Amino acid sequence: MGLFRRRLKLNLALQGGGTHGAFTWGVLDRLLEDRTIDIAWISAASAGAINAAALAAGFAENGPEGARAKLREVWEAVAKAGMPEFLRLNPVLFTLSRSAPLAHLVSLWSPYEFNPLGFDPLRRLLTETIDFAAIRKNSPVELLIAATEVATGEARLFRREELTVDAVLASACLPALHHAVEIDGVAYWDGGFSANPDLVTLAMESPVADTLIVQLSPLKKEGLPTGAREIQAHVNRLTFNAPLIRDVEIIEMAREAMRGALRSRFSRLRPLAQHRFHLVEAAPYTNLLSDRSKIHPDIQLLNHLHAAGRTEAEKWLAANRSSIGRRSSVNLRAHFEAVRAGRPKPQDLVDSAPASPDTSTMTGALDLPKVPPRAAQPADDASRVARGGV
């Protein structure tokens, strides 16, 4: 019976979130297990970029099973590394780290002070586990790995054919923990600041019109943060969610333009307006974890999140497999508004047919802070129009 199932083509959009990215590992593990699903393009940032690179490298070596094995190898290496090695090598910092969280430690010094040589154990881990040359040459999965240019705050998207260990390190470079990563004389920080992940370029350029978003960071977290670490963690959550919220706004603006009087003027936005989106959320799990857990890999935590990711992916497939290639399974605007307002999440679909998205429930703008659009590179004219608004 399974031999006659239609092939389902799917893009992935992977959000960053430190070691909470193990949830994404679980989602990917379950998707790769399903032989009816073909993964096409992946847009990712930070921890999402590490997952994307591991998946692409595994695919290049041995298809879906190779991708599953490579993801496990990378995350087991993360767990084995445990505490950043530059702390182990410095007795003073090691003593401090045992009596206070690393987040408190880095709030006192910059990485240029407590790690003047720029030692980065993640570089060695990625170099030892991921064959970047194989990704560039053989991987069938296209990649959009986001990093943020320090000087301008703009996103730089590294494609599969130019992916290196430096590109992934740039995408995962938290400025409070690591030196900026320089590539061709340009300094980069974490891609989550500018594209977390980039939905616009993915929807505009991928020939596959369905994208599954794996969202790690909760859109809303109750309680007033009062401690220094809690305040900083809350600021980081708002900052890293802002690019995703902005991209949803751009997508909805494109849909408004395509169904209104501006249809002919902005016909190049048709792929963006008609793209079908799907969503798997980690918030029910990550909301229960401390912010400190994002930078403290623990094998029990990683296994817990991996299992949670598999569970949520299984539930999503059971409920929405038939939607792939036909309709969106989430109304992103309505969903985000409901989460922020504390209302029940809407179950209605964004569209009933791929060629004519139903945006009747999406009037008005999201009641969210506006974020200046970023200019991802390279981009075609239509993508630039989309980022500048319609």
Side-chain angles (χ1 to χ4, degrees), residues 339-353:
V339 170
R340 290 175 61 86
R343 300 193 303 265
K345 299 172 186 177
Q347 299 301 315
D348 54 300
L349 301 179
V350 175
D351 50 75
S352 56

Side-chain angles (χ1 to χ4, degrees), residues 81-90 93 102 106 110-125 128 169 172-174 176-181:
M83 183 183 298
E85 293 184 29
F86 63 78
L87 291 184
R88 291 198 187 102
L89 297 175
N90 188 315
L93 295 183
L102 181 60
V106 300
S110 86
Y112 297 88
E113 294 170 321
F114 69 72
N115 182 23
L117 298 180
F119 181 73
D120 187 354
L122 182 58
R123 175 181 293 276
R124 188 174 72 182
L125 186 155
E128 291 177 348
L169 288 172
C173 178
L174 289 171
L177 288 174
H178 304 292
H179 293 208
V181 178

